[in-house]
Amino acid sequence: MKVPPGVTHADFQSALKQFEVALGAEWVFTSDEDVALYRDAYSPFWGEPEELVASAAVAPDNVEQVQKVVRIANTYKIPLYPVSTGKNLGYGGAAPVYSGSVVLDLKRMNRILEVDEKNAYALVEPGVSYFDLYRYIQERGLKLWIDVPDPGWGSPIGNSLDRGGGYLMPQFRNHFDSHCGMEVVLASGEVMRTGMGAMPGAKTWQQYKSGFGPWVDGIFSQSNFGVVTKMGFWLMPEPDAYLSGSVTVPRHDDLIPLVEIMTNLENLRVTTGMPELGSPLLGRVVLSERVQRMESGMGDPWAQAVASRDPELTALLSAPSADSSPELEEYALRKGIGY
C-alpha cells in the first residue's frame, strides 16, 4: 500500500480506521485490487515510479459523511482527490493528480433530489449520470430536455466542473454556465451553499444564481477548494416542434462564408443547436449521420465511402495539397458532390 506523501504509516493506519468508523469498513478501499481501479489506464508512466496512483479510496453516501472524511483528512494532512462517476477518460479517469492521494469517490451519492418541470431545473448529487437523469425525466413524462455531452455515463456535476459542453441551445450547452446553485464541503469540513441556497428556507436556489453577496461558484470549477456535493442545472423546456436540416456547399473555400452565416444565425437564435461539419467529397460524414447509420446496422459510412472510392478521386487525394486543390474542386463540381 502506498502511503500519502508526508504521512507516516502509523498515522495513515489511524486515519483509515477513522474512515471505517465514519463510512463503514466496506466503503474504505485499501487492497491492491480495489485501489488499482483508480489507476489511469492511459498513463504513459504505467507501472513506473512516475505513475500517479492512489493510496486508498473512500466512498461516502451523503454530505455529512463527506464532512467527516474531510475533517479526518485534515487531522492527518492527507490529500484528497474527489471524483463523481470516475470515468472522465479525457481528464485521466479517477487517477489522482497528486500521487498518494486518497480518492474521495462520490459514486454512491447518486440521488436526483428534485426535477421541476414548471421552472425547468434539476438538483442532483455527483454520482448521478446523464443516463440517470434522462431516464428519470422520461419515466415521469416531463417535458424537459437535458444537454448531454458525448459520454452519457458521465456526471452532470463532474462534467460541469470540468467545463464540458453539449449540443443544445447556447444557454444550456456550456454546462458550468447552465448550473444554478451548488453545495460545497470546504477544506475545513464546513458546508457552504452558493446563490439563494445560502439563505435558510429559500425556495429559489435553482432559479437565481447570484443570491446575496459575491458570486463565488467559479472558484470550485477545475480547482481543489472544496468538494461539490449538490448542484442545480437549468434544463431546456421541450419545444413544441423543431426542424433539422443540412446545407451543402460545392467549393472548399465556401466553408468560410458558411461558417460566418451559421455563426450569425446562431447568435440571432434562428438556429439553436450545435452545427456539425463534414465533407461528403472526402467521405467524412457528420457524426450524427455516422452514429445513426451504424446503430441501424448499415455499417460505418466513412469506411464504406473510402472502400468504394472512385479511383480518380483516390488519385486526386493522394496528390500533395490534395484537400484544397483546384483539380479536386473541379472533380466535385463535375460529379455533383458537395465539398
Side-chain angles (χ1 to χ4, degrees):
M1 179 194 300
K2 186 179 180 68
V3 176
V7 179
T8 67
H9 187 270
D11 279 352
F12 191 45
Q13 291 301 315
S14 296
L16 291 175
K17 289 178 181 177
Q18 291 185 35
F19 288 148
E20 290 180 354
V21 172
L23 310 182
E26 68 271 32
W27 302 114
V28 178
F29 309 115
T30 58
S31 71
D32 291 342
E33 293 81 5
D34 286 339
V35 175
L37 298 174
Y38 298 94
R39 294 175 71 180
D40 178 4
Y42 298 94
S43 171
F45 302 111
W46 184 269
E48 300 179 20
E50 296 86 354
E51 183 186 356
L52 300 174
V53 294
S55 58
V58 295
D61 181 59
N62 52 57
V63 64
E64 291 78 17
Q65 290 187 357
V66 173
Q67 289 180 275
K68 291 177 182 178
V69 168
V70 169
R71 286 170 176 149
I72 295 166
N74 266 333
T75 300
Y76 296 97
K77 308 301 180 187
I78 293 172
L80 296 175
Y81 184 72
V83 298
S84 48
T85 59
K87 297 178 182 178
N88 198 346
L89 304 181
Y91 294 97
V97 295
Y98 185 63
S99 199
S101 299
V102 170
V103 173
L104 181 56
D105 191 339
L106 304 175
K107 63 188 173 187
R108 295 176 65 210
M109 298 178 63
N110 58 0
R111 289 168 281 264
I112 298 171
L113 301 168
E114 183 182 7
V115 177
D116 188 311
E117 183 179 40
K118 179 180 178 181
N119 293 299
Y121 69 75
L123 177 64
V124 299
E125 291 184 331
V128 172
S129 71
Y130 286 98
F131 283 140
D132 294 334
L133 186 54
Y134 173 79
R135 281 191 286 263
Y136 183 98
I137 290 170
Q138 293 300 307
E139 288 169 0
R140 288 157 180 79
L142 304 179
K143 294 185 179 299
L144 296 169
W145 282 5
I146 60 174
D147 191 86
V148 183
D150 292 330
W153 37 252
S155 158
I157 290 182
N159 188 268
S160 168
L161 294 179
D162 268 328
R163 296 198 285 273
Y167 299 92
L168 292 179
M169 298 169 68
Q171 61 265 45
F172 306 104
R173 188 184 305 158
N174 183 315
H175 294 163
F176 191 76
D177 281 358
S178 67
H179 96 271
C180 187
M182 57 172 68
E183 178 185 83
V184 187
V185 175
L186 302 176
S188 63
E190 297 173 280
V191 172
M192 182 185 76
R193 288 186 169 186
T194 67
M196 291 302 291
M199 187 167 76
K203 304 296 184 184
T204 53
W205 190 17
Q206 273 64 64
Q207 297 178 54
Y208 187 59
K209 292 187 178 190
S210 299
F212 298 94
W215 193 72
V216 299
D217 296 47
I219 67 173
F220 301 109
S221 170
Q222 290 191 346
S223 79
N224 60 353
F225 293 127
V227 181
V228 179
T229 51
K230 294 181 181 67
M231 209 161 170
F233 293 94
W234 290 338
L235 306 179
M236 179 176 163
E238 182 181 288
D240 292 330
Y242 65 91
L243 177 68
S244 61
S246 61
V247 175
T248 305
V249 294
R251 295 177 173 82
H252 177 275
D253 288 349
D254 290 336
L255 180 65
I256 298 168
L258 175 64
V259 169
E260 290 176 345
I261 292 168
M262 286 195 305
T263 299
N264 187 45
L265 292 174
E266 180 85 0
N267 289 337
L268 291 170
R269 301 298 190 263
V270 174
T271 57
T272 55
M274 176 71 80
E276 291 184 77
L277 297 172
S279 175
L281 177 66
L282 304 180
R284 298 169 187 166
V285 297
V286 295
L287 180 62
S288 58
E289 180 185 341
R290 187 176 183 186
V291 171
Q292 185 179 24
R293 292 181 63 178
M294 291 180 71
E295 287 180 344
S296 63
M298 297 173 65
D300 187 342
W302 192 337
Q304 291 170 356
V306 172
S308 60
R309 186 172 281 162
D310 180 356
E312 182 185 358
L313 177 58
T314 301
L316 289 169
L317 291 173
S318 301
S321 303
D323 278 3
S324 59
S325 69
E327 293 81 11
L328 188 62
E329 195 163 273
E330 187 276 330
Y331 172 90
L333 292 168
R334 175 162 39 90
K335 297 286 188 177
I337 303 174
Y339 215 115

